[in-house]
Amino acid sequence: MSNMCPDQVIITNALNTQKLLTANYNTAAGECANNQLRCAMMDLWKDEHEIQNDIFVDMNSRGWYPVQQAQPQQIETAKQQLNSQN
């Protein structure tokens, strides 16, 4: 992280925090015995995912989280692999 600018360090930390939060809400929602509480956890989980995506999109637009676009054949191969596991 030493070659990152201060804004990049802050937003990277924010993304990592959101990843942790969504994972924790996912676990909590999956283990709720009370349906009302489970629904509340799922609402929070969804909100946190939206925030995580907003941060990712911002980082990606700044070139701080580059992703390689999958080729159509790669997408089809992945779909076939996932379907064969069902």
Side-chain angles (χ1 to χ4, degrees):
M1 284 191 157
S2 62
N3 62 349
M4 293 180 171
C5 72
D7 288 346
Q8 188 176 3
V9 171
I10 292 168
I11 200 166
T12 298
N13 286 338
L15 180 64
N16 289 333
T17 299
Q18 286 308 125
K19 288 179 179 182
L20 181 62
L21 283 171
T22 56
N24 287 339
Y25 278 121
N26 183 61
T27 299
E31 296 176 0
C32 282
N34 179 288
N35 198 47
Q36 274 187 301
L37 182 57
R38 181 183 171 283
C39 288
M41 288 292 174
M42 291 297 292
D43 288 342
L44 291 167
W45 175 81
K46 183 177 183 280
D47 292 345
E48 296 301 332
H49 262 288
E50 291 298 324
I51 294 167
Q52 180 181 335
N53 183 254
D54 290 345
I55 295 170
F56 165 77
V57 168
D58 184 56
M59 289 182 74
N60 183 261
S61 72
R62 295 176 190 221
W64 294 343
Y65 200 124
V67 292
Q68 180 182 14
Q69 294 294 318
Q71 299 300 314
Q73 183 55 46
Q74 292 172 309
I75 294 169
E76 286 305 313
T77 300
K79 283 182 184 178
Q80 291 170 4
Q81 289 173 344
L82 289 171
N83 285 333
S84 70
Q85 294 174 5
N86 293 331

